[in-house]
Amino acid sequence: MKKTIKTFFNMVAGAAFLSMSATALAEPLKIGYSDWPGWVAWQIAIEKQWFKKEGVDVKFDWFDYVPSMDAFAAGKLDAVCMTNGDALVTGATGGKSVMILINDYSNGNDMVVGGPGINSLKDLKGKKIGVEIGFVDHLLLLNGLKKAGMTDKDVTLVNVPTNETPQVLASGQVSAIAAWQPNSGVALKMVPGSKPIYTSADEPGLIYDVLAVSPQSLALHRDEWKKVIKVWYKVVNYINDPKTHEDAIRIMASRVGVSPKEYQSFVDGTKILTLKEDKVHFKKGDGFSSIYGSSAIVDKFNVDNKVYAKPQDIDSYIDPSLIEEMK
């Protein structure tokens, strides 16, 4: 009798699982993306209908960056485009994800912008710097100060929301700011005599930009996610091919409402990775050349700055297996 009951419940459970799977498969994979160039590039595949051609049902939802992570943490998305550091932050606060694709690393778009008369990080000793405390450009700034033989004890950090940094620099309240594009570019335009004095191009791999998927969605739809990744490398090839590069930039620029000429500079500050390059950065290692090493550094930064309390299990956030299976 027990066996019968157990079998019945197994049948019910199996039916429920199949029903859940069928329901989940009936829904498109929902991905949140925002205005970073390495993520705007998805727009090319959307407009070319490459997901449909690949046989995977995907719905991209456009957000401001922070709301995209909020939506993911709330369970409204299967995946979200975010930095490796923010994947740790989101996971530590309840929205666990697995990074299955590295879109790019910042290669100059994140920068410390010095005001008039500031020509190097050493010129900032004893001065105020506007930066959003606990965010990636705070880490960029600390890394730059360390390379210049200084620490945050040598300067005064002023906590400023990143989108307000151009105005704060223009007001003269601070001598420099740390911000990502387009905010850093706006600051350079607003403040005559301002200039980049340290950028993410000086430390490649400090900020990786990734596709982070919920563990549940990855478990249920592994083959579909592999198709999404396959489409991504079609996008990368379209950007890198001189014959189609101009059209790729046009599509990306149109998505964010700037001219193709201006958008080209944003793309130049973003190292969009090929499959071969992705496989290199997905290998385990210390330091910024590996997403494992970079994430460990960011994790320490997050704990030190009380972004969250306990170090995260880095390996549980990274799954290179889908990339490794691709030819």
Side-chain angles (χ1 to χ4, degrees), residues 69-75 82 86-97 214-216 307-308 312 317:
M69 293 184 289
D70 291 342
F72 175 79
M82 56 184 168
D86 285 331
L88 302 181
V89 175
T90 305
T93 52
K96 185 65 186 293
S97 66
S214 79
Q216 296 84 358
V307 177
Y308 48 73
Q312 297 295 292
Y317 282 87

Side-chain angles (χ1 to χ4, degrees), residues 186-240:
V186 171
L188 291 169
K189 288 181 181 177
M190 285 182 67
V191 185
S194 63
K195 61 185 74 65
I197 55 175
Y198 186 74
T199 81
S200 50
D202 296 309
E203 193 63 86
L206 185 136
I207 305 167
Y208 285 100
D209 303 297
V210 305
L211 179 65
V213 181
S214 79
Q216 296 84 358
S217 183
L218 181 58
L220 280 172
H221 306 303
R222 180 181 174 82
D223 289 345
E224 284 73 20
W225 284 114
K226 195 171 177 179
K227 290 178 181 177
V228 171
I229 291 175
K230 186 177 179 182
V231 170
W232 169 253
Y233 291 113
K234 193 171 180 178
V235 168
V236 174
N237 290 338
Y238 199 75
I239 295 171
N240 290 340

Side-chain angles (χ1 to χ4, degrees), residues 3-76:
K3 184 178 179 181
T4 304
I5 292 173
K6 184 178 179 181
T7 301
F8 171 76
F9 277 107
N10 281 345
M11 290 173 63
V12 171
F17 177 79
L18 288 173
S19 176
M20 182 175 68
S21 299
T23 301
L25 285 170
E27 296 286 333
L29 299 176
K30 296 177 181 175
I31 302 174
Y33 72 132
S34 52
D35 64 358
W36 178 260
W39 303 325
V40 174
W42 287 112
Q43 191 67 28
I44 297 167
I46 296 168
E47 294 198 12
K48 301 292 183 183
Q49 297 189 358
W50 286 343
F51 295 106
K52 185 177 180 181
K53 292 176 183 174
E54 191 58 40
V56 57
D57 192 9
V58 178
K59 180 178 183 293
F60 276 79
D61 289 330
W62 182 259
F63 289 90
D64 286 337
Y65 181 50
V66 173
S68 73
M69 293 184 289
D70 291 342
F72 175 79
K76 297 178 181 177

Side-chain angles (χ1 to χ4, degrees), residues 92-145:
T93 52
K96 185 65 186 293
S97 66
V98 181
M99 296 180 263
I100 62 170
L101 168 69
I102 308 172
N103 299 92
D104 66 87
Y105 60 74
S106 180
N107 195 34
N109 277 344
D110 293 78
M111 59 182 78
V112 180
V113 178
I118 302 296
N119 298 309
S120 71
L121 289 170
K122 289 185 177 180
D123 290 340
L124 290 172
K125 191 164 187 175
K127 294 186 167 56
K128 294 180 179 178
I129 305 172
V131 62
E132 193 159 11
I133 303 294
F135 279 62
V136 290
D137 283 355
H138 181 194
L139 174 61
L140 175 78
L141 174 63
L142 295 182
N143 192 66
L145 290 174

Side-chain angles (χ1 to χ4, degrees), residues 152-165:
D152 56 357
K153 301 285 191 297
D154 293 305
V155 298
T156 299
L157 300 185
V158 180
N159 193 18
V160 179
T162 300
N163 64 345
E164 296 177 16
T165 51

Side-chain angles (χ1 to χ4, degrees), residues 261-280:
K261 181 179 180 181
E262 184 175 4
Y263 204 77
Q264 179 63 59
S265 66
F266 296 167
V267 174
D268 291 342
T270 309
K271 174 56 180 172
I272 295 176
L273 300 175
T274 64
L275 173 59
K276 184 178 179 181
E277 292 166 336
D278 244 355
K279 288 183 176 180
V280 170

